[in-house]
Amino acid sequence: MIARDTRPTGHWMPLTARCRSAALVGVCLFTFGVETASAADRVTIHPEGTSSAITLVGDVIDFNRRELKLQQKTGAGLRYIPADEILSVETYYSEAHRRAVREFAAGEIGLAESSFLAAYADEHRPWVQRELLAALVRCARRQGQLAVAAARFLQIIKSEPATRHWSAVPLIWAPEPVSADTRDAASVWLSHNTEAGRLIGASVLLQDPAHGAVAVREMKQLARQTDPVISSLARAQLWRLKLTPGKTTPNELRSWRDEIARMPADLRGGPYWVLAKAHELAGDYEQAAADWLWLPTVYNEDAVTTVHASLAAARALTRLGRRDEALTLYREVASRFAWSPLAGEARAAMRDAHETTDASSPAGG
């Protein structure tokens, strides 16, 4: 086992259980075992200053990263519940929505996308529509459709600027190919009327030869914004500019780690990838592997960055001589992330490892 620096604790929550952390709020959403949309929603909360949880019954009117609005069935009227008091929300999802979740969990991304779109067309609750859009962002990202993912995320922001779905924002952390059409779209996003649009555009073009200077300037402005989600993501994006050997100091990397610890847990994946890469460039493969492994073991929000981290961790472990651990990770990438082009690289690494082992074995076994 590799030694790990202090980091957030948590556990991986599969999408099949319909339990995912939301931006700034840890919330589990479960489907009822009913077939009609008339069933009431159930919101379990732990109010500040109380010793036990209570469950409220009614209709969720809206839900963002600040609060949930519940129309109670008891005649008590509309109740505003702070997001940090919410333990769970139970609601009804359509058959298309439930089917999409199953397909997504099975890695059938094309089918899941079609089912999510069908569910979106029939869904009339704005807060559930935003959840479906977040799922569609993730489908597009897994299919390499960055521009589509960005357009869908900006639909979420238009519907609710204080969205709890910031974990779905399609930013670039690990290197990935960007098409000319996407770069052209990103140059337009740099002038978007929302900070989210400008953040996405600057992320795509941060190291672009033609638009990089403008993107860096915009990212620095976003890093000074008062919204902590925008500013923290923008500062972490700027770390990408220091990913060259000798560009960071140990004190700087410690400050990065401290800043990541202050972020909501569901936004830490990309910043952890950058931190790990900086440790690798500094020759600290042990710490790089530990930080990269945080994504596949704890994080479940950005699968595109997670698969990059898993593969990078396997390579770091190989350099440390921990070939069995690396081989286990390669197998996980090939199976858990079969939809990703990087799964092919993992399978190739597994073949190379087996060939190396065979070549070093004595003749005759």
Side-chain angles (χ1 to χ4, degrees):
M1 297 294 293
I2 66 175
R4 301 195 184 193
D5 202 342
T6 303
R7 64 197 66 264
T9 59
H11 63 281
W12 183 65
M13 297 179 288
L15 190 59
T16 48
R18 292 303 305 142
C19 181
R20 291 186 285 116
S21 58
L24 304 182
V25 186
V27 178
C28 297
L29 300 173
F30 299 92
T31 58
F32 280 152
V34 297
E35 295 302 327
T36 68
S38 61
D41 301 323
R42 297 170 62 85
V43 181
T44 302
I45 65 174
H46 192 165
E48 185 178 0
T50 64
S51 59
S52 60
I54 61 173
T55 297
L56 305 173
V57 179
D59 295 320
V60 174
I61 305 301
D62 205 0
F63 189 12
N64 59 33
R65 62 185 167 108
R66 291 193 296 261
E67 63 185 10
L68 181 148
K69 299 177 185 177
L70 182 71
Q71 183 65 55
Q72 297 181 89
K73 292 292 189 183
T74 59
L78 189 63
R79 179 161 179 167
Y80 294 79
I81 305 168
D84 57 6
E85 293 184 359
I86 299 171
L87 300 179
S88 67
V89 177
E90 300 176 49
T91 192
Y92 169 84
Y93 291 119
S94 67
E95 172 53 34
H97 194 151
R98 298 196 296 271
R99 181 175 66 251
V101 169
R102 294 192 298 269
E103 291 165 345
F104 189 91
E108 298 171 340
I109 307 305
L111 291 176
E113 182 175 49
S114 296
S115 296
F116 279 129
L117 286 168
Y120 182 82
D122 291 335
E123 181 58 65
H124 301 294
R125 294 168 292 174
W127 68 279
V128 180
Q129 288 178 335
R130 293 193 292 270
E131 183 179 325
L132 287 163
L133 283 170
L136 286 164
V137 170
R138 292 183 168 94
C139 287
R141 283 294 277 144
R142 290 189 181 203
Q143 296 177 102
Q145 300 170 346
L146 180 57
V148 173
R152 288 171 175 170
F153 186 79
L154 293 177
Q155 280 184 265
I156 296 174
I157 295 297
K158 183 177 180 180
S159 170
E160 175 52 87
T163 180
R164 61 190 178 88
H165 296 295
W166 266 103
S167 59
V169 62
L171 303 180
I172 290 181
W173 298 101
E176 62 179 273
V178 177
S179 69
D181 287 345
T182 299
R183 287 196 298 272
D184 290 343
S187 67
V188 176
W189 299 333
L190 281 174
S191 302
H192 200 267
N193 61 359
T194 67
E195 292 173 346
R198 297 195 297 276
L199 179 68
I200 296 170
S203 175
V204 173
L205 299 174
L206 196 65
Q207 295 171 300
D208 183 79
H211 302 283
V214 176
V216 170
R217 185 164 60 249
E218 180 60 42
M219 195 68 82
K220 287 180 178 178
Q221 291 177 355
L222 292 167
R224 295 191 291 269
Q225 295 301 310
T226 56
D227 186 323
V229 173
I230 292 285
S231 59
S232 62
L233 287 173
R235 285 193 296 272
Q237 280 282 309
L238 289 168
W239 300 345
R240 292 169 51 202
L241 301 175
K242 295 199 169 187
L243 292 183
T244 54
K247 201 74 180 285
T248 58
T249 66
N251 283 340
E252 191 169 22
L253 296 186
R254 279 192 290 272
S255 73
W256 290 6
R257 187 177 301 281
D258 290 343
E259 179 150 3
I260 292 171
R262 291 191 293 269
M263 293 179 182
D266 58 354
L267 299 183
R268 294 174 186 167
Y272 259 131
W273 192 94
V274 179
L275 177 63
K277 184 64 179 179
H279 277 296
E280 181 198 50
L281 291 168
D284 189 350
Y285 300 107
E286 184 85 21
Q287 190 60 60
D291 287 332
W292 272 321
L293 281 170
W294 185 84
L295 279 85
T297 55
V298 176
Y299 192 63
N300 189 42
E301 302 294 343
D302 178 0
V304 172
T305 304
T306 298
V307 66
H308 277 279
S310 300
L311 197 59
R315 289 166 176 162
L317 289 170
T318 299
R319 297 196 67 159
L320 291 167
R322 300 180 178 183
R323 299 185 185 280
D324 289 344
E325 293 174 76
L327 194 57
T328 297
L329 270 177
Y330 285 133
R331 290 194 189 100
E332 180 177 359
V333 171
S335 59
R336 178 177 166 189
F337 304 106
W339 49 266
S340 171
L342 296 184
E345 293 187 30
R347 287 190 291 270
M350 290 165 59
R351 287 193 298 270
D352 291 344
H354 288 308
E355 290 171 3
T356 300
T357 301
D358 292 343
S360 61
S361 299

